[in-house]
Amino acid sequence: MKKVYLALMCMASLTMMTACGGNKADNANAEKENTEAVENADEQQAEAEADAEEKTVANPADAKPLDLAALYESGDFKPGQTVIFEDNFANDKDGEQPTKWDLKEGSVEVKECAGRNVLSLGGESSLIDPLLNGKSNFLTDEWNLEYEYFANNGEQHELRLFKDEDEQIAYLRVWGEGMEYHFTKTDEENLDGSNTDLGKLINKGWNHFAINYNKGNVKIYINGKRLFNLPKVMQPTNFKLWGLEGHYFTNIRVTK
């Protein structure tokens, strides 16, 4: 009887040892899997950050130029046939002041980037005014205004619209992933709005902005896509461009 009891005790001990060994193995496997999962998550995050870094363009010379012909063909915005004002800075020299613009505040110069000239804003902020043969009021009741701008780290710029040279009646503020507007309507009421979710539409590089004014009705576009359609807006007669340091412009055109 004693031998049977001892045998049973040995079997129980062996069973417990096996079970404990199994638990240790399971715990070790689980710990290993958790470690591998954390490492994989870290690798995926690092890859995502690397991909985001690759998509971020710090220098306009490294950004791919826009294909304006393709943008016009596939997008909603269509430029006018008659050119009222145009400047791609091709006739300006690298490092010099732009000849078709008057500097109101800050600093500005022309820079050569990837084989073409662009307008570079300096200082904390800058404001520039187009020179049109001495005319201060050249926008009529029908016009299109378009330009390319370089967006990267959320730098802001504004298109400011004026009546009778110095009476500001509207602005459009554009930053890395959004836009907001303010217009004075023909009844002198204010019209305000915004779109702060343009991340998928705005490139990390060169972008195309356009506005169409047609006898009080305004349409606003980014990269050929219409964002806003505003009625009964007071007629501007001229415009200025404002931007923070590090902002760039080129291919600025007013057509009818």
Side-chain angles (χ1 to χ4, degrees):
M1 187 70 179
K2 187 175 181 180
K3 291 182 179 180
V4 173
Y5 174 77
L6 290 174
L8 291 173
M9 290 295 292
C10 289
M11 291 177 62
S13 299
L14 182 60
T15 302
M16 291 178 66
M17 290 176 62
T18 303
C20 290
N23 288 338
K24 289 181 180 179
D26 291 343
N27 291 337
N29 290 334
E31 185 176 351
K32 182 179 179 182
E33 291 176 357
N34 289 336
T35 301
E36 291 176 349
V38 171
E39 291 176 350
N40 290 336
D42 291 340
E43 290 177 0
Q44 291 175 0
Q45 182 178 355
E47 291 175 358
E49 291 175 353
D51 291 341
E53 184 67 24
E54 289 180 359
K55 294 177 182 178
T56 301
V57 182
N59 190 324
D62 299 327
K64 183 179 179 181
L66 294 177
D67 186 344
L68 291 182
L71 186 146
Y72 295 149
E73 183 177 353
S74 62
D76 303 319
F77 173 75
K78 309 299 178 186
Q81 299 299 312
T82 303
V83 176
I84 300 173
F85 175 86
E86 183 174 25
D87 197 4
N88 60 7
F89 309 100
N91 296 323
D92 294 317
K93 295 182 179 179
D94 184 24
E96 298 295 329
Q97 296 292 308
T99 56
K100 292 185 178 182
W101 297 84
D102 184 23
L103 180 64
K104 297 298 184 180
E105 64 180 57
S107 64
V108 64
E109 67 178 8
V110 175
K111 284 189 175 182
E112 191 275 329
C113 289
R116 66 173 184 169
N117 285 348
V118 302
L119 189 67
S120 172
L121 302 187
E124 292 185 1
S125 66
S126 299
L127 181 67
I128 54 175
D129 188 8
L131 299 173
L132 191 70
N133 299 324
K135 295 181 180 179
S136 58
N137 297 310
F138 53 87
L139 297 178
T140 62
D141 61 351
E142 294 182 33
W143 49 269
N144 299 285
L145 168 62
E146 60 179 304
Y147 53 80
E148 293 179 48
Y149 71 95
F150 181 81
N152 184 26
N153 295 321
E155 300 98 335
Q156 295 183 14
H157 81 267
E158 291 181 0
L159 169 66
R160 299 180 178 178
L161 300 171
F162 294 81
K163 179 183 178 183
D164 298 329
E165 189 172 357
D166 292 324
E167 180 185 352
Q168 184 172 328
I169 59 174
Y171 71 81
L172 288 134
R173 181 178 297 128
V174 184
W175 63 92
E177 294 187 350
M179 174 192 295
E180 67 179 38
Y181 63 79
H182 168 84
F183 282 87
T184 303
K185 299 181 67 177
T186 53
D187 58 6
E188 298 187 355
E189 293 291 326
N190 291 331
L191 185 61
D192 299 277
S194 65
N195 187 330
T196 59
D197 189 25
L198 301 180
K200 294 182 180 180
L201 183 59
I202 296 180
N203 303 316
K204 293 293 184 181
W206 288 103
N207 290 267
H208 183 268
F209 172 89
I211 177 173
N212 167 265
Y213 183 90
N214 185 5
K215 297 179 180 179
N217 297 314
V218 169
K219 296 177 182 178
I220 303 166
Y221 306 81
I222 290 287
N223 292 329
K225 304 302 181 183
R226 190 175 73 191
L227 299 179
F228 303 107
N229 191 354
L230 311 176
K232 300 179 181 179
V233 169
M234 189 177 291
Q235 179 184 331
T237 59
N238 62 82
F239 74 93
K240 297 177 177 62
L241 286 173
W242 173 91
L244 298 178
E245 182 180 8
H247 228 84
Y248 302 85
F249 299 94
T250 194
N251 287 333
I252 305 170
R253 292 207 309 163
V254 180
T255 59
K256 182 178 179 179

